[in-house]
Amino acid sequence: MGEQTTPQVDVIATSSFIPPADVPFETDAGGGQALAEFAGRACYRSWDKPNRRTATNAGYLRHVIEVGHLAVLEHATATLYIRGVSRSVTHELVRHRHLSYSQLSQRHVIADPSFVVPDPVASDEDLADLFSAAAGKTRQAYDELMTGIEQRLSGTEGAARSKRARQAAQTLLPGARGTEIVVTGNLRAWRQVIAAHGSDASDDELRELVITCLERLRGSEPNAFADFVVTDLPDGRRMASSALVTEA
Ligand SMILES: Cc1cc2nc3c(=O)[nH]c(=O)nc-3n(C[C@H](O)[C@H](O)[C@H](O)COP(=O)(O)OP(=O)(O)OC[C@H]3O[C@@H](n4cnc5c(N)ncnc54)[C@H](O)[C@@H]3O)c2cc1C
């Protein structure tokens, strides 16, 4: 039975920007960052960049974030493909209403054999053994339930029978079962989620997940997330926060 502790997060889509030919707009970034700057400058037709402090894309987006003109970040989106996280964590993630989700179906796909091991368990041999044994028993019960339900539904057509068996048997699986999810959000919504769950008050797995999301988003849209700081807590865990704004 596979067990894992670190999520895999890939950026699979971001916004592109197509500058209109008749507008004298130029900037030193592309994609969603250029799009957000364009949207902001369009409010004032400030194409000539009169303020030197905001003449770069980084300076402009920093100013946008400082003054809370965050709506311009809503024009740009990023899609992340998240794997190796627990169903428990995605249950919390999907509470955020401004992100869009497509998650692995537990009714159509046989249960992921991997379980995500929480950090305090993974770092202790006895606890890891206890967790592993419990996960193994659950998995075995799942398999037995599948077989038993399929036998009882022998009069039902094959594919429908398996689906009904899976959807019933998966209810037994714990929150630690692995899952995968495609998540799309505009940059403002991603910032809100990172700010909400980057703190020490958040669930450990979710906090690590949003920090990983932050790292990936910074790879494609660094200026929209430059104000976030990742710091080490005394016990070795990490947290992320922005000194510039409180997200709203
Ligand atoms: C540390 C922590 C502990 C938590 N503990 C629990 C818990 O014990 N139990 C529990 O059930 N949940 C818990 N949550 C989840 C939390 O209550 C939220 O459901 C979740 O974080 C989604 O965030 P949000 O409500 O800010 O809205 P989002 O959906 O992320 O929306 C972002 C913002 O848009 C605005 N907005 C969105 N929808 C509306 C609306 N309908 N009306 C008005 N404004 C809106 C709000 O300003 C909101 O903050 C916890 C969250 C955190 C960060």
Side-chain angles (χ1 to χ4, degrees), residues 92-99 101 189 192-193 195-197 199-203 206 247-248:
E92 292 194 49
L93 185 63
V94 301
R95 294 286 298 279
H96 291 282
R97 290 158 283 186
H98 299 306
L99 300 177
Y101 310 95
Q192 280 174 334
V193 172
H197 298 289
S199 88
D200 190 19
S202 186
D203 171 271
L206 184 52
E247 299 291 327

Coordinates of all heavy atoms in Angstrom, one line a residue, residues 92-99 101 189 192-193 195-197 199-203 206 247-248, ligand 1:
E92 N -11.6 20.6 2.8 CA -11.4 21.9 3.3 C -11.2 22.9 2.1 O -11.8 24.0 2.1 CB -10.2 22.0 4.3 CG -10.5 21.3 5.6 CD -9.5 21.7 6.7 OE1 -9.3 22.9 6.9 OE2 -9.0 20.8 7.3
L93 N -10.4 22.5 1.2 CA -10.1 23.4 0.0 C -11.4 23.8 -0.7 O -11.5 25.0 -1.1 CB -9.1 22.7 -0.9 CG -8.6 23.5 -2.1 CD1 -7.8 24.7 -1.6 CD2 -7.7 22.6 -3.0
V94 N -12.2 22.8 -1.0 CA -13.4 23.1 -1.8 C -14.4 24.0 -1.1 O -15.4 24.4 -1.7 CB -14.1 21.8 -2.3 CG1 -13.1 21.0 -3.2 CG2 -14.7 21.0 -1.2
R95 N -14.2 24.3 0.1 CA -15.0 25.3 0.8 C -14.9 26.7 0.2 O -15.7 27.6 0.4 CB -14.7 25.4 2.3 CG -15.0 24.1 3.1 CD -16.5 24.0 3.3 NE -17.1 25.1 4.1 CZ -17.1 25.2 5.4 NH1 -16.5 24.2 6.1 NH2 -17.7 26.2 6.0
H96 N -13.8 26.9 -0.5 CA -13.5 28.2 -1.1 C -14.3 28.4 -2.4 O -14.0 27.7 -3.4 CB -12.0 28.4 -1.3 CG -11.3 28.6 0.0 ND1 -11.3 29.8 0.7 CD2 -10.6 27.7 0.8 CE1 -10.7 29.6 1.9 NE2 -10.2 28.3 1.9
R97 N -15.2 29.3 -2.4 CA -16.2 29.4 -3.4 C -15.8 30.1 -4.7 O -16.5 30.0 -5.7 CB -17.5 30.1 -2.9 CG -18.2 29.2 -1.9 CD -19.1 29.9 -0.9 NE -18.3 30.6 0.1 CZ -18.8 31.2 1.2 NH1 -20.1 31.3 1.3 NH2 -18.0 31.8 2.1
H98 N -14.6 30.7 -4.7 CA -14.2 31.4 -5.9 C -13.2 30.6 -6.7 O -12.7 31.1 -7.7 CB -13.6 32.8 -5.5 CG -14.5 33.7 -4.8 ND1 -15.8 34.0 -5.4 CD2 -14.5 34.3 -3.6 CE1 -16.4 34.8 -4.5 NE2 -15.7 35.0 -3.5
L99 N -12.9 29.4 -6.3 CA -12.1 28.5 -7.1 C -13.0 27.5 -7.7 O -14.1 27.2 -7.3 CB -11.1 27.8 -6.2 CG -10.1 28.6 -5.4 CD1 -9.2 27.7 -4.5 CD2 -9.2 29.5 -6.3
Y101 N -13.3 23.5 -9.3 CA -12.7 22.2 -9.0 C -13.2 21.0 -9.9 O -14.4 21.0 -10.3 CB -13.1 21.8 -7.6 CG -12.8 22.8 -6.6 CD1 -13.9 23.7 -6.2 CD2 -11.6 23.0 -6.0 CE1 -13.6 24.7 -5.3 CE2 -11.3 24.0 -5.1 CZ -12.4 24.9 -4.7 OH -12.2 25.9 -3.8
A189 N -8.3 35.2 -5.9 CA -8.9 34.1 -5.1 C -7.7 33.2 -4.6 O -7.8 32.7 -3.4 CB -9.8 33.3 -6.0
Q192 N -6.3 34.8 -1.5 CA -7.1 34.6 -0.4 C -6.9 33.3 0.3 O -6.9 33.2 1.5 CB -8.6 34.8 -0.8 CG -9.0 36.2 -0.9 CD -10.4 36.4 -1.5 OE1 -10.9 35.5 -2.1 NE2 -11.1 37.5 -1.2
V193 N -6.9 32.2 -0.5 CA -6.7 30.9 0.0 C -5.4 30.7 0.7 O -5.3 30.1 1.8 CB -7.0 29.8 -1.1 CG1 -6.6 28.5 -0.6 CG2 -8.4 29.9 -1.6
A195 N -3.5 33.1 2.0 CA -3.5 33.9 3.2 C -4.3 33.2 4.3 O -3.9 33.2 5.5 CB -4.1 35.3 2.9
A196 N -5.5 32.6 3.9 CA -6.3 32.0 5.0 C -5.7 30.7 5.6 O -5.8 30.5 6.8 CB -7.7 31.6 4.3
H197 N -5.0 30.0 4.7 CA -4.5 28.7 5.2 C -2.9 28.6 5.4 O -2.4 27.6 5.7 CB -4.9 27.6 4.3 CG -6.4 27.4 4.3 ND1 -7.1 27.0 5.4 CD2 -7.3 27.8 3.3 CE1 -8.4 27.0 5.1 NE2 -8.6 27.5 3.9
S199 N -1.4 30.3 7.6 CA -1.1 30.6 9.0 C -0.9 29.4 9.8 O -1.4 28.3 9.5 CB -2.2 31.5 9.5 OG -3.2 30.7 10.1
D200 N -0.3 29.6 11.0 CA -0.1 28.6 11.9 C -1.4 28.0 12.4 O -1.4 26.8 12.9 CB 0.7 29.2 13.1 CG 1.2 28.1 14.1 OD1 1.3 26.9 13.6 OD2 1.5 28.5 15.2
A201 N -2.5 28.7 12.3 CA -3.8 28.2 12.8 C -4.4 27.2 11.9 O -5.3 26.5 12.3 CB -4.8 29.4 13.0
S202 N -3.8 27.0 10.7 CA -4.4 26.2 9.7 C -4.0 24.7 9.9 O -3.0 24.4 10.6 CB -4.0 26.6 8.3 OG -4.6 25.9 7.3
D203 N -4.7 23.8 9.3 CA -4.4 22.4 9.3 C -3.0 22.2 8.7 O -2.7 22.8 7.7 CB -5.5 21.7 8.5 CG -5.1 20.2 8.2 OD1 -4.4 20.0 7.2 OD2 -5.5 19.4 9.0
L206 N -2.9 21.2 5.0 CA -3.4 22.2 4.1 C -2.5 23.4 4.0 O -2.3 24.0 3.0 CB -4.8 22.7 4.6 CG -5.5 23.7 3.7 CD1 -5.6 23.3 2.3 CD2 -6.9 23.9 4.3
E247 N -6.2 40.0 3.3 CA -7.0 39.7 2.1 C -8.5 39.8 2.5 O -8.9 39.5 3.6 CB -6.8 38.3 1.6 CG -5.3 38.1 1.2 CD -5.0 38.8 -0.1 OE1 -5.8 39.0 -0.9 OE2 -3.8 39.2 -0.2
A248 N -9.3 40.4 1.6 CA -10.7 40.4 1.8 C -11.4 40.2 0.5 O -10.9 40.2 -0.5 CB -11.1 41.8 2.3
Ligands
LIG1 C1 -7.9 28.3 10.4 C2 -9.3 27.9 9.9 C3 -10.1 27.1 10.6 C4 -11.4 26.7 10.1 N1 -12.2 25.9 10.8 C5 -13.4 25.6 10.4 C6 -14.3 24.8 11.2 O1 -14.0 24.4 12.3 N2 -15.5 24.5 10.6 C7 -15.9 24.9 9.4 O2 -17.0 24.6 9.0 N3 -15.1 25.7 8.6 C8 -13.8 26.0 9.1 N4 -13.0 26.7 8.3 C9 -13.4 27.1 6.9 C10 -14.0 28.5 6.9 O3 -15.0 28.7 7.7 C11 -14.4 28.9 5.4 O4 -15.5 28.1 5.1 C12 -13.3 28.6 4.4 O5 -12.1 29.0 4.8 C13 -13.7 29.4 3.1 O6 -13.4 30.8 3.3 P1 -14.4 32.0 3.2 O7 -15.7 31.7 3.9 O8 -13.6 33.2 3.6 O9 -14.9 32.1 1.7 P2 -14.5 31.9 0.2 O10 -15.4 31.0 -0.4 O11 -13.0 31.6 0.1 O12 -14.7 33.4 -0.3 C14 -13.7 34.4 -0.2 C15 -14.4 35.7 0.3 O13 -15.5 36.0 -0.5 C16 -16.6 36.6 0.2 N5 -17.8 35.7 0.1 C17 -17.8 34.5 -0.5 N6 -19.1 34.0 -0.4 C18 -19.8 34.9 0.2 C19 -21.2 35.0 0.6 N7 -22.0 34.0 0.3 N8 -21.6 36.1 1.2 C20 -20.8 37.1 1.5 N9 -19.4 37.1 1.2 C21 -19.0 36.0 0.5 C22 -16.1 36.6 1.7 O14 -15.5 37.9 1.9 C23 -15.0 35.5 1.7 O15 -14.1 35.7 2.7 C24 -11.8 27.1 8.8 C25 -10.9 27.9 8.1 C26 -9.7 28.3 8.6 C27 -8.8 29.2 7.7

